[in-house]
Amino acid sequence: MEEKTEFFEILMGAIRRETEAFNYYFGASAKSPSAETKSLLLQLAEEERRHRTILLQEYRNLKKLMSGDERGVSLEKEGVSYHLPEKADFKRAQSLKSVDMAVLSLPTEFIGGDFFDTFIIKDQEKMGLLIFDIMGHGLTATELKAQVRMEWDKLKELYLGKSAPSLLLSPASVITHLNRQLFQECQKRLSFLSLFYAVLDSSRNELTYASAGHEPPLLFGRQGYSQLIEGDLLLCIDERTAYRETSIEVHSGDTLVMFTDGVVESMNADEEEFSVKNLIRVVGENKSGNASQIVGQVLADLRDFMGGKPVTDEFTLAVMKLS
């Protein structure tokens, strides 16, 4: 038993290092003045993300094997397959008067492991934005998503009941709390999740965010775009993780794009990924439009890219535009 525990601690340490390397390469790319160097660093960051995914899959499979559940050794075959619709069916989301918001969840917001939510806090001046993605597909991901949503709803109830009036204002505290509350449930299901939570303060033109290994959102402004790359370990890998938060300035006209990996990892018949690069291109070309138009154009470009091939992963795309 002690040997098994040591092995999983080593594997968990490797996952932590992949996360740190991913953050390092992304951070270095953002500071690089050279387009060629920036491109190379982004490729290295992508490789680290892929390695982390492989390690996470192995962690789950080995956990099942060592527990005697040999049926779980191979990767899950349960998944989804659907064709992209001609028109976006937008999900309802609370928003501030100064924010134009559009959210798309496919194939449905109820099935699978993706979820997006917003919450108005503190006198209509602040808004919380939550997006997460459960590792895996099908019933397992759907069941764990229900548990995460329940814990998230409890936090909102605590805020409304004034039992924890400041908790939702701190993204780091929210993610640290969710990690501890969900750790045992995730371990039991041998699953993990990436999660991003941010608080927009419209009175101070400030966005504060924390990330548990989630796809870095894109922020488009007058000077181009940036990626919100600061982040920590995925949720439910280490119960003791203390998550950090980062604050940035935002301005009127800025566009924030949040998404799950199903958007950028959708593969066409030539086994090419749609990629973050294409997402950046489409949003950049259409950032003068409103949030719904931007989401609609991403959907149209992704549909053309897929060329009639079905999508085999759920995805969520949320665009927030400041007026």
Side-chain angles (χ1 to χ4, degrees):
M1 180 61 72
E2 184 177 342
E3 186 176 346
K4 290 181 181 179
T5 301
E6 181 183 3
F7 174 78
F8 284 114
E9 286 179 354
I10 292 171
L11 189 54
M12 188 182 295
I15 293 169
R16 287 197 193 95
R17 286 174 174 79
E18 295 290 353
T19 301
E20 291 168 1
F22 173 85
N23 291 336
Y24 176 78
Y25 286 130
F26 253 124
S29 72
K31 298 174 184 177
S32 174
S34 165
E36 184 176 346
T37 302
K38 185 188 292 287
S39 176
L40 176 61
L41 290 169
L42 286 173
Q43 290 181 58
L44 290 171
E46 178 62 18
E47 284 302 312
E48 297 297 341
R49 187 184 67 79
R50 292 182 188 278
H51 294 164
R52 184 180 65 188
T53 299
I54 292 170
L55 287 173
L56 286 167
Q57 290 171 338
E58 289 303 310
Y59 182 97
R60 300 173 72 209
N61 291 336
L62 289 169
K63 273 275 192 177
K64 289 181 179 180
L65 177 61
M66 291 185 177
S67 67
D69 183 7
E70 296 185 2
R71 295 170 301 172
V73 175
S74 61
L75 298 179
E76 291 182 359
K77 299 183 182 299
E78 184 181 21
V80 296
S81 179
Y82 60 97
H83 288 89
L84 295 171
E86 292 289 330
K87 184 178 179 182
D89 184 12
F90 295 108
K91 167 185 166 70
R92 290 186 179 181
Q94 290 184 324
S95 186
L96 301 175
K97 291 181 180 179
S98 59
V99 174
D100 176 27
M101 176 79 67
V103 184
L104 178 66
S105 290
L106 292 174
T108 165
E109 68 173 289
F110 300 107
I111 295 174
D114 290 7
F115 183 71
F116 179 85
D117 193 27
T118 58
F119 185 64
I120 306 302
I121 49 183
K122 202 164 184 179
D123 303 325
Q124 303 294 314
E125 292 183 344
K126 296 182 177 68
M127 177 171 66
L129 304 108
L130 177 81
I131 186 169
F132 66 75
D133 185 5
I134 308 292
M135 185 179 180
H137 307 287
L139 184 59
T140 300
T142 302
E143 290 175 343
L144 183 53
K145 177 169 73 173
Q147 295 294 322
V148 182
R149 290 184 63 175
M150 183 172 67
E151 292 299 331
W152 166 240
D153 287 341
K154 286 180 182 178
L155 287 180
K156 292 192 290 184
E157 289 173 5
L158 287 174
Y159 172 82
L160 293 172
K162 299 184 178 180
S163 299
S166 62
L167 182 60
L168 286 182
L169 296 174
S170 169
S173 297
V174 166
I175 297 185
T176 299
H177 174 84
L178 290 174
N179 183 57
R180 291 171 181 167
Q181 294 299 114
L182 294 163
F183 181 78
Q184 293 300 330
E185 185 67 31
C186 289
Q187 291 293 308
K188 182 175 70 175
R189 296 178 181 275
L190 302 179
S191 190
F192 313 100
L193 63 146
S194 67
L195 186 145
F196 175 90
Y197 179 62
V199 174
L200 172 67
D201 186 338
S202 61
S203 66
R204 299 176 60 184
N205 293 324
E206 183 178 75
L207 183 78
T208 302
Y209 71 90
S211 176
H214 195 74
E215 293 285 345
L218 307 169
L219 181 64
F220 289 80
R222 297 173 185 174
Q223 305 301 320
Y225 75 91
S226 59
Q227 294 175 292
L228 308 190
I229 60 175
E230 298 296 333
D232 293 296
L233 203 61
L234 276 79
L235 224 64
C236 299
I237 290 181
D238 184 353
E239 189 176 15
R240 301 162 295 180
T241 301
Y243 290 86
R244 303 164 295 169
E245 62 187 43
T246 303
S247 295
I248 58 173
E249 288 187 14
V250 290
H251 307 92
S252 176
D254 286 358
T255 300
L256 179 67
V257 182
M258 294 157 282
F259 56 97
T260 56
D261 60 11
V263 178
V264 295
E265 292 182 358
S266 291
M267 282 192 170
N268 61 17
D270 296 325
E271 295 190 349
E272 300 168 327
E273 288 188 351
F274 185 67
S275 77
V276 175
K277 181 179 178 180
N278 270 326
L279 179 61
I280 291 170
R281 175 187 58 78
V282 178
V283 176
E285 292 173 352
N286 295 275
K287 64 180 182 179
S288 60
N290 61 34
S292 297
Q293 289 170 335
I294 294 172
V295 172
Q297 192 58 56
V298 172
L299 177 63
D301 274 54
L302 180 56
R303 190 170 56 244
D304 290 343
F305 176 82
M306 297 301 291
K309 182 177 181 288
V311 178
T312 55
D313 193 6
E314 308 89 8
F315 75 72
T316 295
L317 174 66
V319 172
M320 179 187 82
K321 190 162 187 177
L322 304 178
S323 60

